[in-house]
Amino acid sequence: MTADAVTGSSTAKRKIAFAFFLIVCLAISLTVGLVLHFNKEKENSPVSSLGERSDVIVDCHPESDGTEEKCKDRGCLWSPVSDKGAPWCKFPAGYGYRMVGDVMDTPMGMRVELERTSHPQYLTRSASFDNIYLDVDFHTDSRLRLRFYPKNDSRWEIPDSVLNITSPSKASETTRLYNVTIVDTPVFGVIITRVSNNQTIFNTSLPGFIYSDQYLQLTTRLASSNVYGFGEHNHRQLRHDLSWKTWSIFTRDVAPVDEWNLYGAHPTYMNVEDDGSAHMVFLKNSNAMEVFLQPSPHPAITFRTIGGVLDFYIFLGSSPGEAVQQYTAAIGRPVMPPYWTLGFHLCRWGYTNISDLRMVIDRNREIGIPYDAQWADLEYMFNKFVFSYNRETFPGLPDLVRDLHDHDQKFVVIVDPGLGNDPNISSLIKHNSPGYDVFDDGSREGVLVMNPNNSGPIVAEVWPGTTGYPDFTNPATEAWWEKWARYFHDNESIEFDSLWIDMNEPASFVPGSVDGCENNKWNYPPYTPNILGRGEDGRMYDKTLCMDAIQHLGSHYDVHSLYAHTQAIQTYNALKNIFPGKRPWTMTRSSYAGTGKYATKWMGDNQSRWEQMKWSIVGILEFGLFGFSLNGADICGFWYEAEYEMCVRWHQLGAFYPFARNHNALGDAPDFFKPQDPAAWDARFVRLAKEALITRYKLLPYLYTLMHNAHARGDTVMRPLLFEFPNDPVCLSVDEQFLLGPALLVSPVLNKGQTTVTAYFPEGRWYDYFQGETVAVNKDYLDLDTPLEKFNLHVRGGHVIPWQVPAITTNSSRKNKMGAIVALDKEGRAEGELFWDDGESIDTYETDHYLLIKFRMPKYGELHVVQTGSVSVFPPPPPPPLDQLDIYGLQTIPLSVSLDGHVVPVDNIRQSYAITSLLNLNMTLTGNHTITWT
């Protein structure tokens, strides 16, 4: 570039900079003016006139355009307070409902009639119910139900066919863990306390209880500020920030980047009490809603929903883990996955043809990456029409799938709910896939979501172009859905092993439908929660269907957030029929409470960004609380191009997700993202990724046992430290480390260039997994040296962890000899268990076709291996022998070891680092054994 050009450019730049400065100043002036306009009451109040918050504030004007005049029009009080973010418009003390008559007994508990107090209509377009009932049902000793419903009107409620929470009988007053108190002054409220310590866990004796047609609101005090749950959101921390935060719940297709409502709907929270006890509260309501949190010293939650009824279930646990057990006992235990799902998975939205797919499979096989399943995203389909494959770009796909099976690998395909109905493509696909008629067949069968006037299926737009949508609330849809899944498996000859159901919020690329949506109270309700896309007009249908679309169970307004849940149920049942006797498995993006009984979950379209690694931990831990055992995030990120160091660290983290899959996006032409499967990198990367994955495969027996415990009794698999140490105040907020079960602590690197991890070790003896050295005995923070070649994994003393010699597939691994880590606590004791079945048959636990091996070490130097379960009906072959014990915490090498009274040769006693190993034990797991040492 010449000197003149440089000078001219410099002058031009100065002019541009000055102009930009003027524009910025003008923008700032306009912004300040707008802020002053919308907050004039707050700005005009001197700080000295602001009051101190003396109690819970129930916001009477949650809309953003609140003024003193609008506040008083609702019969509320304008009361400025100094708390930043606190509402200034609050309900007066008597605003709500009062009792009518006495408390009435019912077969399951009691009933109270309530009458609205004299106050102005809250929303002019949403008529209030003057008289409502509260039924209090005593379900079990640790569970009760509070159901508020109109006295003389029927309302939408989630039917038992979708979510059936049963109660065997009324809990006895003498054994219940809770007391229920009804108060009526100055306004009605219900108070739930623990019998053991009189701790209040639910208290609605606050003003602002509203029950109207399209706006229902109730506030409860909290037992403490330790609140977890609500979903689905991209929460940046596990323990909620209660500082006047609003979280909306309404299923939505949006990447987990900001704090909007995401894919799933989980109106559930956990509150950990000061003594380490915990309770959970679930609002069984599928309508759009939001929760408003407020901080100490008066922590509280306000529920606001725009339909249905207020149907609360409260679960009391002696610990956080027990509270989750109570919750999943009600909504459904997590599904038991097949063993192969615990392996490593590969996928990409960007396999443009079968050569791309074959290349990825071959190169990862060749370098020996442990690798159990290959997934196919949209490209395999013919013009993205579900249950088809493109014979031009993916010729030989059936043979490729058979080759995967020949190598003990599985094949998973994506299936979106959007059914292409473009007539031009529909005519072409009949040549590609003879007999294909999915949309028209669904229309004939009457199993599609209908438009508001019921004249035909509603048509929106997703990947295939114009699309219709199956109505999974219709029981008839299940047989139709199964028919076309069978067509794909049998006629198209794609012998898939699982269906991956995506875009099931449900998503649409046009708002509502190709014809738009009517201006009515469903599409534009009187109050719209703070959901993404609501805009200034308060629309509900951005990036989804019109709310007045018709489904079998009701309007889409009511059942929208149940779409994926009902799809998961029908997909599970379809797979159960297609693969008789085998364990169905499906992965879903969207979900509702109870979906974990039928499907597992991944965290959606994350990004290849360092911060997403920490956020993934929070999300996975939350979904454990929601009843999902096998869940995970896309390793190395989905959107954008993965960076070397980050992708290494993400494999070191993701190897310990319950579900481990590397998945990335295609990108946009011409900037396509580079592939990020392990074999796409250099030899060093391969070595580091393989080390993490080999460790995972070695620990699969332990991980599978955790999956069983989740399915059988509601335990969490990946759990926060607070679940094991609820009385440790530090653990209440730890969310950059996590536990796998009770025994393994993972402390990952989460930041670029980081080579030291400051990790917290709670009370107990903790060992380095790889060398067996004791790293902590008393609770403490430790700085762990963690270069790129290393990842942090620690074993908790007092536990026995089964393991197996790893191979490159789970099927091969299951044939290898087994071992166990015996990590001694301070008293020299340890215990653990191993669940074992054939890894694929359905209901093995329910039908007693399993083994459960208990490891018990009641005193130092004496380990009992006890077999339980039904050996006589356990299918062949028997499990491999337990051949090796690795003992952590021995001060000296044993001088004498015996197995079932027989001396173990001294050559079979080895020391490596701080680990004492007993080799060549060859213990059968169908019998009992005792190992002693001195």
Side-chain angles (χ1 to χ4, degrees):
M1 184 178 288
T2 64
D4 289 340
V6 171
T7 303
S9 175
S10 177
T11 302
K13 287 180 179 178
R14 286 195 296 270
K15 290 180 180 179
I16 292 170
F18 181 71
F20 179 77
F21 174 76
L22 291 177
I23 291 170
V24 169
C25 290
L26 178 60
I28 292 172
S29 300
L30 289 172
T31 302
V32 170
L34 287 170
V35 170
L36 290 173
H37 173 74
F38 287 113
N39 297 280
K40 58 185 178 181
E41 286 81 4
K42 291 187 178 184
E43 295 295 329
N44 291 336
S45 299
V47 174
S48 60
S49 69
L50 299 180
E52 295 293 328
R53 180 167 65 108
S54 59
D55 200 355
V56 173
I57 300 174
V58 184
D59 191 357
C60 185
H61 204 289
E63 300 95 327
S64 60
D65 61 346
T67 64
E68 183 173 0
E69 180 181 3
K70 290 181 178 179
C71 177
K72 292 180 177 178
D73 285 345
R74 288 183 172 174
C76 293
L77 305 176
W78 187 255
S79 180
V81 293
S82 58
D83 290 47
K84 184 178 180 181
W88 285 14
C89 180
K90 68 178 185 179
F91 287 94
Y95 197 115
Y97 284 80
R98 298 290 298 274
M99 286 179 58
V100 177
D102 298 326
V103 176
M104 299 168 279
D105 290 331
T106 66
M108 286 299 296
M110 59 186 181
R111 175 173 295 162
V112 181
E113 183 177 348
L114 305 174
E115 184 175 66
R116 191 168 72 96
T117 59
S118 178
H119 53 259
Q121 182 78 22
Y122 185 73
L123 294 176
T124 56
R125 292 172 52 208
S126 183
S128 295
F129 292 98
D130 291 332
N131 291 86
I132 63 174
Y133 284 130
L134 163 63
D135 281 0
V136 182
D137 294 343
F138 306 129
H139 274 200
T140 69
D141 288 346
S142 56
R143 182 213 307 171
L144 71 158
R145 179 187 187 186
L146 308 177
R147 177 172 170 260
F148 298 87
Y149 59 100
K151 179 180 180 181
N152 298 314
D153 292 271
S154 61
R155 300 275 290 171
W156 156 254
E157 298 186 57
I158 299 174
D160 289 346
S161 62
V162 174
L163 180 59
N164 186 15
I165 300 179
T166 60
S167 176
S169 62
K170 177 182 175 181
S172 168
E173 185 175 359
T174 60
T175 57
R176 293 198 301 260
L177 302 179
Y178 49 84
N179 286 322
V180 179
T181 303
I182 303 296
V183 297
D184 200 42
T185 303
V187 71
F188 163 81
V190 57
I191 303 173
I192 314 298
T193 56
R194 284 187 182 271
V195 170
S196 60
N197 58 6
N198 207 36
Q199 170 69 60
T200 299
I201 62 172
F202 198 80
N203 182 354
T204 71
S205 58
L206 294 162
F209 178 21
I210 298 170
Y211 209 117
S212 68
D213 184 35
Q214 288 184 269
Y215 188 89
L216 295 80
Q217 176 175 282
L218 186 70
T219 300
T220 178
R221 300 177 189 272
L222 291 166
S224 77
S225 296
N226 302 312
V227 177
Y228 310 85
F230 290 124
E232 182 177 2
H233 310 103
N234 180 24
H235 295 141
R236 310 299 171 85
Q237 60 189 54
L238 183 63
R239 181 170 64 178
H240 272 284
D241 173 8
L242 302 187
S243 300
W244 314 106
K245 295 281 289 187
T246 299
W247 295 101
S248 299
I249 300 175
F250 185 68
T251 58
R252 161 79 190 212
D253 171 18
V254 63
V257 178
D258 296 314
E259 297 184 342
W260 296 107
N261 50 299
L262 295 181
Y263 311 112
H266 293 273
T268 307
Y269 73 87
M270 173 183 285
N271 197 190
V272 178
E273 301 154 36
D274 291 338
D275 67 352
S277 301
H279 61 271
M280 293 182 69
V281 177
F282 167 49
L283 174 55
K284 188 182 177 185
N285 180 297
S286 59
N287 290 89
M289 68 177 72
E290 63 190 16
V291 293
F292 179 61
L293 312 178
Q294 51 187 295
S296 293
H298 309 288
I301 294 178
T302 298
F303 291 86
R304 306 183 189 115
T305 184
I306 61 173
V309 299
L310 295 177
D311 191 4
F312 293 97
Y313 290 80
I314 302 172
F315 309 88
L316 288 80
S318 60
S319 65
E322 187 177 296
V324 173
Q325 290 175 340
Q326 297 289 344
Y327 177 58
T328 57
I331 65 167
R333 300 290 199 207
V335 64
M336 183 64 183
Y339 200 96
W340 65 266
T341 64
L342 305 187
F344 182 56
H345 304 242
L346 284 179
C347 184
R348 185 179 185 186
W349 176 28
Y351 301 138
T352 56
N353 54 53
I354 198 163
S355 297
D356 281 354
L357 185 56
R358 168 58 72 188
M359 177 177 62
V360 170
I361 294 169
D362 288 345
R363 70 188 180 202
N364 283 278
R365 279 181 187 165
E366 288 169 5
I367 60 171
I369 290 291
Y371 167 34
D372 260 84
Q374 179 62 55
W375 296 47
D377 211 313
L378 293 166
E379 297 89 354
Y380 78 88
M381 302 179 195
F382 183 87
N383 284 81
K384 302 181 176 63
F385 274 47
V386 296
F387 299 129
S388 74
Y389 83 94
N390 193 321
R391 284 164 166 79
E392 291 187 5
T393 55
F394 283 82
L397 183 58
D399 292 332
L400 182 145
V401 175
R402 283 188 282 271
D403 177 71
L404 286 168
H405 292 163
D406 289 343
H407 286 81
D408 294 331
Q409 294 173 301
K410 306 296 184 180
F411 187 61
V412 183
V413 291
I414 195 169
V415 179
D416 293 345
L419 311 175
N421 75 334
D422 183 304
N424 295 322
I425 300 175
S426 296
S427 63
L428 294 174
I429 198 172
K430 295 181 187 301
H431 298 287
N432 180 86
S433 305
Y436 189 94
D437 193 27
V438 178
F439 175 83
D440 289 340
D441 185 52
S443 183
R444 288 190 300 268
E445 294 291 327
V447 296
L448 305 185
V449 180
M450 302 297 284
N451 60 30
N453 62 17
N454 208 31
S455 62
I458 192 168
V459 176
E461 184 176 318
V462 203
W463 297 114
T466 55
T467 54
Y469 295 78
D471 177 9
F472 294 106
T473 71
N474 187 343
T477 307
E478 187 172 299
W480 170 87
W481 186 244
E482 178 187 328
K483 176 176 71 175
W484 287 104
R486 283 185 182 275
Y487 166 87
F488 185 57
H489 185 275
D490 298 341
N491 296 55
E492 294 284 85
S493 300
I494 306 299
E495 297 176 356
F496 59 83
D497 298 283
S498 173
L499 296 179
W500 166 25
I501 50 178
D502 190 18
M503 303 292 287
N504 51 355
E505 292 72 33
S508 170
F509 295 161
V510 297
S513 77
V514 293
D515 299 316
C517 299
E518 294 183 22
N519 188 348
N520 57 34
K521 69 176 186 177
W522 311 119
N523 296 313
Y524 300 88
Y527 180 87
T528 303
N530 188 33
I531 60 174
L532 179 60
R534 69 175 178 175
E536 294 182 2
D537 56 5
R539 66 176 61 185
M540 289 288 299
Y541 54 84
D542 187 70
K543 212 170 184 185
T544 190
L545 303 180
C546 299
M547 293 296 106
D548 52 356
I550 299 172
Q551 296 192 234
H552 177 77
L553 287 180
S555 68
H556 195 69
Y557 181 88
D558 291 324
V559 303
H560 168 85
S561 290
L562 298 174
Y563 192 89
H565 178 76
T566 54
Q567 183 188 19
I569 294 172
Q570 296 197 358
T571 303
Y572 176 91
N573 291 334
L575 292 174
K576 186 166 64 172
N577 292 334
I578 293 171
F579 305 114
K582 302 299 183 183
R583 218 170 286 171
W585 183 60
T586 184
M587 178 70 72
T588 184
R589 186 169 75 174
S590 181
S591 58
Y592 186 75
T595 305
K597 181 180 179 180
Y598 306 97
T600 54
K601 157 76 181 169
W602 98 105
M603 303 311 297
D605 298 343
N606 62 356
Q607 296 180 344
S608 299
R609 299 286 187 263
W610 282 94
E611 62 269 18
Q612 291 269 348
M613 294 173 64
K614 187 251 172 110
W615 299 345
S616 75
I617 296 173
V618 174
I620 296 169
L621 292 176
E622 285 181 334
F623 269 86
L625 186 153
F626 297 149
F628 291 78
S629 57
L630 184 66
N631 52 347
D634 287 344
I635 294 172
C636 298
F638 178 72
W639 282 110
Y640 305 121
E641 195 165 280
E643 179 264 328
Y644 189 100
E645 179 192 358
M646 183 202 69
C647 200
V648 169
R649 292 301 195 188
W650 213 324
H651 277 87
Q652 293 170 342
L653 165 63
F656 302 100
Y657 289 159
F659 171 66
R661 182 183 69 166
N662 179 318
H663 179 215
N664 69 313
L666 172 65
D668 298 317
D671 299 319
F672 295 116
F673 305 144
K674 291 188 297 186
Q676 64 186 33
D677 57 280
W681 304 85
D682 64 14
R684 182 192 185 203
F685 186 103
V686 169
R687 174 174 55 83
L688 297 178
K690 188 185 294 187
E691 287 172 358
L693 293 172
I694 284 291
T695 304
R696 176 188 181 87
Y697 272 61
K698 181 177 180 179
L699 292 168
L700 286 180
Y702 175 69
L703 183 57
Y704 191 62
T705 301
L706 296 178
M707 292 293 166
H708 162 72
N709 291 339
H711 175 68
R713 63 192 190 208
D715 290 0
T716 53
V717 174
M718 178 171 159
R719 64 187 66 162
L721 274 64
L722 71 94
F723 271 51
E724 294 294 319
F725 306 95
N727 295 111
D728 186 336
V730 174
C731 291
L732 295 173
S733 60
V734 172
D735 53 17
E736 295 187 2
Q737 300 169 260
F738 59 89
L739 291 161
L740 273 183
L744 287 176
L745 176 64
V746 181
S747 305
V749 168
L750 300 174
N751 299 291
K752 184 178 178 62
Q754 180 182 359
T755 57
T756 301
V757 173
T758 301
Y760 182 69
F761 289 86
E763 186 69 27
R765 189 178 295 275
W766 295 91
Y767 303 93
D768 177 81
Y769 168 83
F770 297 100
Q771 297 186 0
E773 297 170 346
T774 301
V775 297
V777 177
N778 299 312
K779 54 185 178 182
D780 198 5
Y781 285 99
L782 295 178
D783 289 334
L784 306 176
D785 183 40
T786 317
L788 192 62
E789 283 74 18
K790 183 181 177 184
F791 54 91
N792 298 308
L793 184 63
H794 292 89
V795 180
R796 182 182 175 191
H799 292 272
V800 177
I801 301 173
W803 55 261
Q804 196 161 25
V805 175
I808 58 172
T809 67
T810 56
N811 188 61
S812 296
S813 293
R814 283 176 57 88
K815 300 172 184 176
N816 292 338
K817 291 184 177 181
M818 306 188 79
I821 295 171
V822 181
L824 307 182
D825 65 11
K826 294 178 182 179
E827 288 74 37
R829 295 192 295 259
E831 62 180 10
E833 57 189 358
L834 165 67
F835 176 83
W836 194 261
D837 61 6
D838 68 4
E840 62 177 5
S841 295
I842 194 169
D843 295 335
T844 57
Y845 174 67
E846 290 78 3
T847 58
D848 292 329
H849 284 66
Y850 69 94
L851 295 177
L852 186 62
I853 314 300
K854 297 282 189 178
F855 300 92
R856 299 192 182 102
M857 193 170 176
K859 62 181 181 178
Y860 179 81
E862 182 177 305
L863 175 66
H864 299 277
V865 182
V866 181
Q867 179 274 323
T868 65
S870 301
V871 181
S872 60
V873 296
F874 187 81
L882 185 75
D883 204 50
Q884 179 173 331
L885 292 177
D886 298 321
I887 307 172
Y888 293 27
L890 290 182
Q891 300 303 311
T892 59
I893 298 178
L895 298 176
S896 173
V897 177
S898 66
L899 169 60
D900 298 333
H902 301 284
V903 174
V904 174
V906 67
D907 289 345
N908 291 352
I909 306 171
R910 303 288 178 84
Q911 183 82 16
S912 176
Y913 299 104
I915 303 171
T916 300
S917 295
L918 309 181
L919 309 178
N920 302 319
L921 301 176
N922 199 32
M923 287 187 285
T924 61
L925 292 177
T926 54
N928 299 334
H929 305 277
T930 299
I931 303 96
T932 60
W933 62 84
T934 57

